[in-house]
Amino acid sequence: MLDLATTDNVKSATTDPHRPKDFLDLTEIKSFLEAAKAGRQGTRDHLLFLMMYRHGLRCSEAVDLRIEDVSFDRATLWVRRLKGSNSGMHPIEGDELRAIRRYLATRDDSLPWLFVSERQGRLSRFAVNYLVDRTAKLAGFDNLHPHCLRHSCGYALADKGVDLRTIQEWLGHRSIEMTVRYTRISQRRFSGLWRSG
């Protein structure tokens, strides 16, 4: 029995409104990221969610990111995993690197954290939960939680045909069993099975 897409976490208005799931597909992610730009801190929020999605970050890993974790010269991000997961170096795409520079240009503090609150402190997990919820409503989703962005990363990679071991390393999973869930509902793995050779 599939236990992956059965949690009643996200109801999508843009695809099937009856489909309970715990991740967003590519179209939904685009809507969500676009909606993130609308707030007072739109530059920060868009970047935060983009990085949580692209790097499969847990909420606590995202708020713990420091500016020094970003290497602008090498276009890399040091991802410090929690919960016993494996940390590692991730490449940063050009659009993401530009978004980081754009966001940092709006700041005039000397705080070490990458994401800061309007009160000049590290962004809290509570704040991220609130921002995700607010952005989800703007994008037309119900009951979205920050971990959905991590799951969305795993499903997107599986759907691109990325092999299981690479997804495991990217997400920092110690056990491959944690990663298998993402390939189980990927339709791509079945495409071409009956194509005549």
Side-chain angles (χ1 to χ4, degrees):
M1 177 177 150
L2 291 182
D3 57 351
L4 307 175
T6 57
T7 54
D8 194 13
N9 286 332
V10 179
K11 289 189 181 69
S12 167
T14 57
T15 55
D16 179 1
H18 304 294
R19 180 187 65 183
K21 62 175 187 168
D22 61 357
F23 69 99
L24 298 175
D25 63 32
L26 287 176
T27 305
E28 293 165 333
I29 279 289
K30 283 180 185 168
S31 299
F32 181 79
L33 290 175
E34 199 55 40
K37 296 176 181 176
R40 196 165 59 235
Q41 295 287 323
T43 305
R44 178 200 65 192
D45 299 347
H46 175 262
L47 175 63
L48 170 67
F49 300 147
L50 178 68
M51 293 184 79
M52 287 177 74
Y53 168 65
R54 287 222 180 133
H55 301 283
L57 299 174
R58 297 176 178 93
C59 184
S60 46
E61 293 168 348
V63 298
D64 281 345
L65 282 176
R66 294 173 171 261
I67 296 171
E68 67 186 25
D69 293 332
V70 178
S71 169
F72 292 97
D73 295 338
R74 295 190 307 273
T76 57
L77 173 72
W78 175 251
V79 178
R80 200 177 295 100
R81 296 290 185 193
L82 302 174
K83 294 194 172 179
S85 298
N86 297 319
S87 299
M89 195 70 77
H90 283 198
I92 302 176
E93 295 300 318
D95 63 330
E96 187 179 346
L97 203 57
R98 286 188 295 277
I100 295 170
R101 287 186 196 278
R102 220 172 14 252
Y103 166 58
L104 290 177
T106 67
R107 288 178 46 187
D108 57 3
D109 60 79
S110 56
L111 294 170
W113 300 291
L114 184 56
F115 297 107
V116 296
S117 70
E118 289 181 7
R119 293 189 177 127
Q120 300 298 298
R122 185 179 68 162
L123 201 62
S124 69
R125 289 178 62 191
F126 177 80
V128 174
N129 272 286
Y130 167 77
L131 293 169
V132 166
D133 188 56
R134 188 187 70 184
T135 304
K137 285 180 177 134
L138 281 172
F141 307 118
D142 290 328
N143 201 17
L144 184 67
H145 58 86
H147 210 71
C148 285
L149 295 172
R150 178 170 164 83
H151 289 322
S152 300
C153 173
Y155 289 117
L157 293 175
D159 231 34
K160 283 175 181 250
V162 175
D163 69 272
L164 209 53
R165 288 288 175 198
T166 303
I167 299 173
Q168 179 187 12
E169 280 187 52
W170 189 257
L171 294 175
H173 290 154
R174 285 197 182 276
S175 164
I176 196 80
E177 289 307 310
M178 301 288 293
T179 317
V180 167
R181 63 177 297 171
Y182 299 116
T183 59
R184 282 193 187 135
I185 67 161
S186 170
Q187 297 169 2
R188 183 180 177 122
R189 69 193 170 122
F190 294 125
S191 65
L193 281 180
W194 293 102
R195 205 171 287 140
S196 55

